[in-house]
Structures are given as structure tokens and as C-alpha cells.
Amino acid sequence: MAPKHGPRRAQIAFSDTAARQLETVTSEAEIHALDRALVVISVDPDVGTPLSGTTTDPRLRQYTDDLEQVRVLYFVTALRTVIVVAYIEV
């Protein structure tokens, strides 16, 4: 019998701005914190809160992890298979 797998994770992609911000993250602790936040978002794209003023799809969402001190702005594609990260704060 084949092993059961959990739900499929969405793929993470970065906007040009987020990619440049990612290049400035050098601390291993910051990388670990950001990685944990991205895993949470990829497993459950609805975990973030919609930002006010964004009423058209795709809606910009914000995920904040106060424990790890990470903030990620992102939106989810229509098929919910790709999450585009627009902004990163670590």
C-alpha cells in the first residue's frame, strides 16, 4: 500500500523586489525564520490576512510571525498552486 501524503504545497515564487530583499538576508537565524514562514504559507495560503484596500483578485495578503519576527506580503494565483511573494521583512 502506498504511503499517504499530506496536502500538496503551493510553489513559492518571488517578485523582483522580494528577490532583491532575499539577497540581503545573510544571517542563518533570519534565513531559518523566513524559511519557516514560507513553509507555513505554502501549506495554507489562506493563513495570512487580506490587506485592506485590495478587493480585486489576486488579493494581497500579509503573513506575520511575531515569534520569528517575519512579515511576508504575498498573493496566491487563481489555481492556488503558486504563491508570489511581493515583500519580505525579517
Side-chain angles (χ1 to χ4, degrees):
M1 182 182 262
K4 296 211 175 214
H5 297 283
R8 182 180 164 145
R9 291 184 185 179
Q11 180 182 4
I12 301 285
F14 296 94
S15 69
D16 291 341
T17 301
R20 285 191 298 276
Q21 290 170 320
L22 189 59
E23 290 173 359
T24 65
V25 178
T26 57
S27 156
E28 192 169 319
E30 289 177 335
I31 292 170
H32 177 72
L34 180 59
D35 187 49
R36 286 175 48 101
L38 294 175
V39 167
V40 168
I41 294 168
S42 71
V43 170
D44 181 10
D46 294 325
V47 71
T49 56
L51 292 177
S52 61
T54 56
T55 56
T56 59
D57 286 330
R59 288 190 176 171
L60 194 59
R61 302 181 73 84
Q62 171 179 267
Y63 173 75
T64 304
D65 184 333
D66 294 326
L67 180 64
E68 296 283 355
Q69 300 199 353
V70 174
R71 180 175 174 235
V72 178
L73 301 182
Y74 66 97
F75 63 89
V76 184
T77 59
L79 296 178
R80 304 183 57 76
T81 57
V82 178
I83 296 168
V84 179
V85 175
Y87 178 80
I88 300 168
E89 230 176 66
V90 181

